[in-house]
Amino acid sequence: MSNISVAIGADHGGYGLKTDLLPFLNQLGIKVLDLGACTYDSADDYPDFALAVARKVACGQTDRGIIICGSGVGACITANKIKGVRAGLCHDVYSAHQGVEHDDMNVLCLGARVIGIEVAKEIITAFLNARFTGEERHKRRLEKLLQAEKEG
């Protein structure tokens, strides 16, 4: 897992969980690019952080992304607006690894008001350890998704 680079960002709703997760991510030995929020600001907006993370993943500057807001929903919707990003909202371990294995998910969205630190650690570990299977059926489905993205 130490070869993976991850961009992480959170608005005020996810700030506390992100801050608590940073030492854990560093312990995993992965390269972490923290895109904020750097301080708690109740007036900040999740799209700013979601877009920053999504753009780093889309351009290849990082392998994966993690975005945290209150529910994870707004961050997920926003991240998926960026071409090349396949963001999934995951509040369980199965979805976190299956999303990568079957759908080549590259951005994990979490809701800090939905899950706690220990569950978040398990989900992140599953997400970061997972790899796209490359099975024919998964590649076929991914190609259809990429074609839809291209067509708009």
Side-chain angles (χ1 to χ4, degrees):
M1 186 181 326
S2 61
N3 299 0
I4 294 176
S5 59
V6 175
I8 189 168
D11 70 350
H12 62 278
Y15 174 76
L17 182 58
K18 181 191 73 117
T19 301
D20 292 344
L21 285 168
L22 287 173
F24 168 73
L25 292 170
N26 289 324
Q27 285 176 346
L28 295 177
I30 60 174
K31 181 181 174 188
V32 178
L33 178 60
D34 184 354
L35 298 173
C38 298
T39 59
Y40 179 85
D41 178 1
S42 63
D44 66 16
D45 297 315
Y46 66 82
D48 298 328
F49 303 102
L51 290 170
V53 170
R55 288 181 174 135
K56 293 296 183 189
V57 174
C59 78
Q61 189 171 344
T62 62
D63 301 307
R64 306 263 177 100
I66 299 170
I67 310 168
I68 309 168
C69 68
S71 70
V73 175
C76 190
I77 291 169
T78 303
N80 278 313
K81 299 296 183 187
I82 302 300
K83 186 176 181 179
V85 169
R86 291 171 300 282
L89 173 60
C90 301
H91 291 138
D92 63 272
V93 171
Y94 176 78
S95 298
H97 70 78
Q98 189 270 348
V100 175
E101 294 163 354
H102 293 198
D103 306 313
D104 203 19
M105 179 175 72
N106 53 15
V107 174
L108 173 66
C109 300
L110 300 171
R113 295 179 182 140
V114 180
I115 59 170
I117 182 83
E118 295 306 320
V119 173
K121 287 178 182 179
E122 292 176 18
I123 291 168
I124 289 169
T125 300
F127 170 66
L128 296 177
N129 282 327
R131 299 292 176 269
F132 182 60
T133 66
E135 290 179 27
E136 186 56 40
R137 64 189 171 121
H138 300 145
K139 289 194 304 190
R140 181 182 69 244
R141 294 167 186 162
L142 181 58
E143 284 302 316
K144 289 180 179 184
L145 183 149
L146 295 174
Q147 185 62 38
E149 180 180 71
K150 187 177 181 180
E151 293 170 1

